[in-house]
Amino acid sequence: MWPLVAVIGFMLCLDPSFQQFPRPCATREALRTKECCPPWEGDGSACGAISGRGFCQDVEVPDLPDGPQYPFSGLDDREKWPLVFYNRTCRCAGNFMGFNCQDCKFGYFGANCNERRESLRRNVFHLSRAERIRLMSYLNLAKQTVSRDYVVATGTYQEMENGSNPMFADVSTYDVFVWMHYYVSREALLGGPGNVWTDVDFAHWAPAFLPWHRVYLLHWEHEIRKLTGDMSFTIPYWDWRDAQGCDVCTDDLMGERSPQDPSLLSPGSVFSSWRVLCSRADDYSGRGVLCDAQHEGPLTRNPGNHNRDVVERLPTSAEVEFTLSLADYDTGAMDRSANMSFRNTLEGFGDPQTGLGSSSRMGMHAALHVYMNGSMSSVQGSANDPIFLLHHAFVDSIYEEWLRRHRPSAAQYPESNAPIGHNREYHMVPFLPLIRNREYFISSKDLGYEYSYLLGANQRLAESLRPYLEELQDVWPWLLLAGLCGGIITLAAAAAFLTAKRRYRGSPWLQVGRWKNVFALPERQPLIRSSDAEETKHRNYQTTI
């Protein structure tokens, strides 16, 4: 299977270029020279320079101050990413991208990356039965298949003896993403057990929250396409507005609750056999180490049995609408205390009814994580649960709706004074090739994808009917066969009746008059409604309303 997938991936110009450490850049030589410019297979030159796809370039990090919340420098591998590991990387030209420029930018396909296509992310409940099965199969394949192109770091650069002793591990394609979300949100390791900085996160609690997760989903989507060869695959979303519970928690989707243990998944779900990693944040911080990428136990989830003082219920349509009405992307200190901030309110630390920051209760995005009450409730380990993808796809759709409604200028994304890693020109951790936060403060349509519920009315109707029409298309031969059989039986019955009628014409037992009174009921008075009965009927109808 792998050779075929590799050929398809090359020919259709997929985008596998997202993880922190491509295998060619995880060697002692690459770390010691601090250069990640692998050759493109097409011409053998670094970054495909001979073919004009890109070139190897010094990393440019803007000389801008980070936020005042981060009072130390040079003590965390993620600061001024990726300079601790590499100071030269590929810079791709035109529509090319990737750690060696062999791939296409989002929304572009073809050997020369000049075919523009728009993908559609659909409501998970609008998927046909075949599409649901395909989604579950792809997720499980990604979980069971070791990544061919990437490894994950299990030690800091200092522990690697400045590159002389590389510390990396093989993990599955799915778990590479789990590790990425852990790595970007882990606490800052400052050397030694217990010596950590807790109030830091390069993808949460600040302006880059929405752009970072947008990039994350796009790369995950493209990696599944590379793995399966299915160019039509898109991440579905879970529209959780006004949901009374976890309605995606069924065995044909994300997994029901186990009857033996409510914190585990049903044996009927493919996800019940999954094992998590990077889920013990307190343990790592206490020992002053990185996650070792080893399996740590089963996936857990217990939706609804959470702390009601932290999250009252799932978000409502009214709360989503209020969040969308906030005109400012971010405000104030641009952290969890930000007032009337769209980003902070959507993330869940601003009250979705007043817009005031540092809310005593979590709402919106954060409410879903807490509500799931298991693997999803840990920031660093939440990506272990596949519900993470459906949830963040819907969060991204709200971000997209806000962008279209308010059409913010690029200046709305802060240039300075945001928390560490969140300024406009900062490179997102841990992506290679390098991506600046501002580059994804743009519409999804510029990135080659759309959400089905943001389509026009006629398109939305057609999209909602699509799975039913596909199901009908699958069964119509059987319906046609059933119709033909029914027609034949009807004709045969009619012919038999006519034959019998001719044969027994004049026979006394066929005379209808002799039989009509056999089934007659005793005569009754006709039903006449009284005016009282009519009035009672109307009173009851009003009471029902």
Side-chain angles (χ1 to χ4, degrees):
M1 177 180 176
W2 278 118
L4 177 59
V5 173
V7 170
I8 293 174
F10 174 75
M11 292 179 63
L12 294 177
C13 202
L14 297 177
D15 184 4
S17 51
F18 59 94
Q19 285 85 354
Q20 182 186 3
F21 294 104
R23 288 187 183 274
C25 301
T27 64
R28 181 179 291 105
E29 180 183 2
L31 292 172
R32 293 301 299 274
T33 61
K34 303 191 77 166
E35 182 172 294
C36 183
C37 294
W40 174 54
E41 297 176 5
D43 62 18
S45 65
C47 311
I50 293 176
S51 301
R53 299 176 81 93
F55 51 92
C56 193
Q57 177 179 285
D58 291 345
V59 173
E60 298 177 0
V61 176
D63 188 19
L64 291 171
D66 288 307
Q69 305 91 316
Y70 204 67
F72 53 87
S73 179
L75 298 174
D76 189 287
D77 290 348
R78 300 166 297 178
E79 292 182 77
K80 299 189 183 302
W81 177 260
L83 289 183
V84 168
F85 294 100
Y86 311 109
N87 54 30
R88 286 175 64 78
T89 63
C90 287
R91 180 171 181 178
C92 304
N95 294 332
F96 301 109
M97 72 174 290
F99 63 82
N100 62 352
C101 300
Q102 76 171 10
D103 309 306
C104 296
K105 286 185 177 180
F106 299 119
Y108 290 91
F109 298 84
N112 296 314
C113 299
N114 55 5
E115 298 175 17
R116 177 75 171 171
R117 281 186 235 158
E118 185 173 275
S119 303
L120 186 66
R121 291 182 181 171
R122 298 182 169 95
N123 187 320
V124 70
F125 292 113
H126 292 169
L127 299 182
S128 67
R129 182 173 177 274
E131 287 170 333
R132 290 191 186 193
I133 293 173
R134 191 180 309 133
L135 173 64
M136 300 302 106
S137 299
Y138 288 177
L139 285 166
N140 203 42
L141 178 64
K143 183 70 172 180
Q144 307 303 329
T145 306
V146 173
S147 174
R148 295 179 304 123
D149 300 311
Y150 305 97
V151 291
V152 301
T154 57
T156 64
Y157 190 69
Q158 182 180 14
E159 289 175 315
M160 294 184 196
E161 300 173 9
N162 298 328
S164 298
N165 180 34
M167 297 175 65
F168 301 99
D170 287 325
V171 295
S172 72
T173 297
Y174 186 94
D175 286 341
V176 166
F177 286 92
V178 174
W179 180 90
M180 285 177 65
H181 195 263
Y182 152 77
Y183 187 81
V184 77
S185 59
R186 69 169 174 80
E187 296 173 347
L189 305 180
L190 308 182
N195 190 8
V196 300
W197 182 268
T198 59
D199 194 20
V200 59
D201 192 307
F202 286 73
H204 301 86
W205 312 337
F209 166 68
L210 292 167
W212 189 93
H213 285 84
R214 171 160 284 192
V215 175
Y216 179 92
L217 291 179
L218 280 165
H219 281 306
W220 193 91
E221 198 168 60
H222 279 258
E223 183 66 6
I224 292 297
R225 291 174 180 174
K226 182 185 74 166
L227 178 64
T228 64
D230 183 354
M231 302 302 103
S232 65
F233 174 78
T234 55
I235 299 172
Y237 61 87
W238 174 28
D239 185 345
W240 34 248
R241 289 173 294 187
D242 305 315
Q244 299 303 303
C246 182
D247 47 13
V248 295
C249 293
T250 60
D251 280 349
D252 67 331
L253 285 175
M254 297 295 106
E256 291 183 16
R257 206 187 305 262
S258 168
Q260 286 76 36
D261 185 340
S263 67
L264 299 179
L265 300 188
S266 160
S269 168
V270 67
F271 304 120
S272 64
S273 63
W274 281 26
R275 295 296 177 264
V276 302
L277 68 156
C278 300
S279 65
R280 299 172 180 170
D282 292 340
D283 175 53
Y284 313 140
S285 294
R287 293 188 288 125
V289 299
L290 287 179
C291 159
D292 62 7
Q294 297 299 308
H295 288 160
E296 298 170 343
L299 180 65
T300 61
R301 191 193 302 150
N302 195 353
N305 292 318
H306 60 286
N307 186 343
R308 300 281 172 165
D309 293 332
V310 178
V311 169
E312 183 180 3
R313 47 166 169 68
L314 294 176
T316 66
S317 297
E319 290 170 338
V320 172
E321 183 55 37
F322 173 83
T323 302
L324 285 166
S325 73
L326 298 173
D328 292 326
Y329 180 71
D330 223 336
T331 61
M334 296 174 282
D335 58 13
R336 284 169 283 187
S337 69
N339 294 323
M340 307 305 288
S341 157
F342 166 73
R343 186 275 314 162
N344 195 39
T345 305
L346 178 54
E347 191 169 358
F349 304 107
D351 190 308
Q353 298 179 15
T354 66
L356 298 180
S358 300
S359 175
S360 60
R361 284 185 169 177
M362 295 185 185
M364 301 299 285
H365 152 264
L368 260 291
H369 282 278
V370 174
Y371 180 87
M372 288 302 157
N373 192 31
S375 299
M376 271 276 280
S377 59
S378 159
V379 174
Q380 296 179 18
S382 57
N384 278 291
D385 192 330
I387 284 181
F388 179 95
L389 297 166
L390 276 61
H391 168 43
H392 272 276
F394 189 60
V395 171
D396 184 72
S397 77
I398 297 173
Y399 173 40
E400 179 60 26
E401 189 169 359
W402 183 87
L403 288 170
R404 297 185 191 183
R405 183 180 298 191
H406 296 279
R407 300 185 180 277
S409 68
Q412 271 229 38
Y413 195 96
E415 182 180 15
S416 61
N417 296 321
I420 180 72
H422 290 260
N423 284 333
R424 184 189 306 169
E425 299 299 324
Y426 205 99
H427 294 131
M428 292 183 182
V429 177
F431 295 111
L432 285 175
L434 303 178
I435 299 170
R436 298 188 190 275
N437 289 322
R438 62 171 168 78
E439 294 174 14
Y440 286 79
F441 192 63
I442 59 174
S443 172
S444 69
K445 295 185 78 65
D446 296 324
L447 298 166
Y449 71 101
E450 172 66 292
Y451 285 97
S452 60
Y453 83 95
L454 297 180
L455 295 169
N458 291 337
Q459 291 174 298
R460 285 201 308 273
L461 177 61
E463 178 58 29
S464 63
L465 293 176
R466 183 189 58 82
Y468 303 106
L469 295 176
E470 288 187 5
E471 296 285 355
L472 183 62
Q473 188 176 20
D474 290 337
V475 302
W476 77 263
W478 299 103
L479 294 177
L480 179 60
L481 180 61
L484 288 173
C485 291
I488 292 171
I489 292 171
T490 301
L491 290 173
F497 176 79
L498 291 174
T499 301
K501 186 176 180 180
R502 283 196 299 269
R503 180 176 300 176
Y504 297 104
R505 183 173 297 158
S507 177
W509 70 271
L510 277 179
Q511 294 177 13
V512 177
R514 297 172 59 93
W515 292 87
K516 68 178 181 179
N517 292 327
V518 172
F519 302 104
L521 295 174
E523 186 175 349
R524 285 183 172 182
Q525 292 183 349
L527 290 175
I528 302 175
R529 283 198 179 94
S530 68
S531 58
D532 290 342
E534 190 71 19
E535 289 173 6
T536 302
K537 179 173 81 81
H538 285 292
R539 274 203 304 273
N540 289 339
Y541 188 64
Q542 283 191 329
T543 302
T544 303
I545 289 182

